[in-house]
Amino acid sequence: MGYGAQTDRERGRVPRSSPQMLTMSWLFLFLLVDIGVAQVDDDFIGLGELPETFPSDPPEPLPVFLMEPEEAYIVKNKPVNLYCKATPATQIYFKCNSEWVHQKEHTVEERVDENSGLVVREASIEITRQQVEELFGPEDFWCQCVAWSSAGTTKSRKAHVRIAYLRKTFDQEPLGKEVSLEQEVLLQCRPPEGIPAAEVEWLKNEEVIDPADDRNFYITIDHNLIIKQARLSDTANYTCVAKNIVAKRRSTTATVIVYVNGGWSTWTEWSVCNSRCGRGYQKRTRSCTNPAPLNGGAICEGQGIQKLACNPLCPVDGLWTEWSKWSTCGTECTHWRRRECNAPAPKNGGKDCEGMVLQSKNCTDGLCMQSSLYQKSSEAKDKIDLGNSLAPSTDDVALYVGIVIAVIMCLVISVVVALFIYRKNHRDFDSDIIDSSALNGGFQPVSIKTARKADLLTAPPDLTSAAAMYRGPVYALHDVADKIPMTNSPLLDPLPNLKIKVYNSSGLVTPQDDLGGEFSSKLSPKLPHCLLDNSDSTMGRRTQTQTLLRTRDPSCTALGSFSSQGGHLIVPNSGVSLLIPAGAIPQGRVYEMYVTVQRKDNMRPSVEDGQTVLSPVVSCGPPGALLTRPVIITKHHCAVFDGQQDWLIQLKSQSHQNKWEDVVVVGEENFTTPCYIQMDDEACHILTETLGTYCLVGQSLSAATTKRLKLAIFGPVTCPAMEYHIRVYCLDDTQDALKEVLQMEKQMGGKLLDEPKTLNFKDSTHNLRLSIHDVPHTLWKSKLLAKYQELSFQQVWSGSQRNLHCCFTLERFSTSTVDLACKICVRQVEGEGQIFQLDTTLSEDSQSIDTSLLDPASNITTLVGPNAFRIPVSIRQKLCGSLDAPQTRGNDWRMLAHKLNLDRYLNYFATKSSPTGVILDLWEAQHFPDGNLSRLAQVLEEMGRHDSLVPAVTEH
């Protein structure tokens, strides 16, 4: 394919027209002039005077592409066609690899749009495999469409043309496994290299697996298959299939066998002894059916039968003894004799004796009255005697009741007398309180009259003695129902925190001597304002800044002195910076400014349900400094934007009372909002003229709302003990969060075990699940009792808990084991996941993972003056002078904002004295430290601005 080098077209100018087109244009122009003169003559004749102005046609706009060329792939030897369409366009051509495509190779169609009346041109070219293969260089074959109009040129996006292929060999194929029931299964698959990238699907017994139909399956973004809980039905052959527009490849089949280990049923009850009398045994049984072993599962260990010796005693029936001798004859003319049932006595369930125990008969041969025979069992007689002995006495009960009543009456009388004496004494004490000043205790005498400001400044009240003597609220000493409460006076309120607040000459409050704000405001509400008025001097601001930064971590703070020339403060390796544009500080003043990342949990804003902290908390100062143009605070955020309105993002600031207040909602800025926020993919830029503490908080609007997490895995550098602890951190994906963990782990003696990875976490209310796999069980054992660990959704989503992590503990069987290889899977339930391949040596003392974030001292933190900016001052002034003034063609600062994708809310820039200057400030903050001036020059060229500005920008 031939390419014609046309210099004018490469520069964006309109190419020369043919002589026939020029002739037609001149004829058309003469016709318009003739018609205009005739119209003027008619007006002159009718009105007697010429009009002041003549109507003119509106300027023709720049071409707009209705269709841009798209990415294309050449399959085998079949060529591809690229199409583009633009309006209004006088000409349209393709440029491939920076060379113009010959006009003969174009297919151009032209028509007039019925609605707008503008000319629409459509062009197409054909690209062959040979043309793509003949290109040598680091960049792929690309083509771009260029359209002309009288207003200038417009270029389409680049469309790459690649030769499609798919290699035959998988980078990693799934391996068969034998797993127990309900265990999580991980099958890995890395498809063959190909262009375009291959799509992957999984087959189970030659049927496609659809996770939407069976939620027990999950396919990760890197094409791995996870079986959440293995079932018996999951025993199958699994195949990974990769395909693109060229070919389809199948991996080797991986067989997954889900086995079931046998389990014992519960023991039966003990059986009856098999011997009714004498030595024997009894038994109980259990079976290996709970569950029964399947698919090669282990059989039950232990015995299924247990026996127990038994020796039941034989029963012995009772027998009577011989009758005793007859007793002497009694007064009733009878005598008695008896016998016992103990020869032998009944034992072990034997029968009792049958018959009478006592026997009586007349002993006078009938000469006197004979009583009937009397017989009674000895056992019944004993029971009657025992019952009579235990019966309570009626006199004893009456005595006990009387004693209890007397004690109760004494107690009631004592309480009544004590209450009467207490109330009498208490009334006397109340009258003393009203007339006495003894209630003040350790307080110094205070006049009720309003204290003068000078007196408060020179002689503050001595609160130390109050702190020592104060015991509690005074109203606890008397009856509040009868007397006026003494707590209406502010001096008698309970003191929240009795420490002294020391004011220095510049009006600062030292952090270590903190007094409760509520109490100090009651003493003199005007006191802080009067003291802060003295902070205008340079020395006062320097003292203030040094005091505020006294407790700051130097690794997350940048500090510098700046004049009206501006500069840049950068917190090393944290993604946080403060850009002070030239002219932001008033002429003749020098500010000592700072920017710091707040890492304390109590400095983070509290969030409600559905909300999450999206950025680090950043403070910049000095607070209250006068600025004449906005400064730019840059910091990272972890929100994911996919073109949908899934987020409601608020900028919050911390007030002097440490309360978080809403500043502005991104996308809802207006003329009254004090800030403008530019949201990029990973960073946000806050333009403000008020220095303070800021944080981004996001509100989820749908279940598809996503934030980025950074996953990092650490372990000890050396491990002399048998246990090895693996810590998995789940952080917000910001540079400072990872930097903080790296610093903390370095102090703990830890090291990174694998490169940190990013995970997209959705607002689906599902937890984050962490599991460990492929641990070599012959060398190590996991001490995790469950199959996995989970972090709750709210813990992860809110972002309010820093350094959130889980720990896996492994124990080695021998101290000679120094190598560990395993996998850790981190995924959101029903969401995306990441897999870490760990391969570490316990005795290593070297750090193989890049930890440059640990060395903040090697980075520049302060840039002062013109050297802090990529655009030279002279070029900047020329650009502002050229683009600030509105242009009828629209190629002014508004088009610049559009070309740089900064046109979300143009009214903010319109309110500034130099809109171009603020746009360039924002460009500087976005592209620090390696801003591409060539790209900026290309934007100016596309805008059709004066060529003298373009070389000047490019040279610098």
Side-chain angles (χ1 to χ4, degrees), residues 269-294:
E269 297 291 336
W270 287 103
S271 65
V272 180
C273 191
N274 64 340
S275 175
R276 186 169 178 270
C277 177
R279 186 177 181 84
Y281 69 89
Q282 54 186 152
K283 67 178 180 178
R284 63 177 182 174
T285 61
R286 61 179 179 175
S287 60
C288 188
T289 57
N290 187 32
L294 289 175

Side-chain angles (χ1 to χ4, degrees), residues 101 118 120 175 242 258 294 307 424 502 550 642 651 653 655 707 757 782 792 850 874 916 953:
V101 179
L118 299 176
V120 179
L175 300 177
V258 181
L294 289 175
K307 291 185 178 181
K424 183 176 183 301
V502 180
R550 186 178 303 165
D642 56 0
L651 178 67
S653 67
S655 63
K707 67 180 290 187
K757 297 183 179 181
S782 173
S792 70
D850 179 25
S874 59
T916 307
V953 173

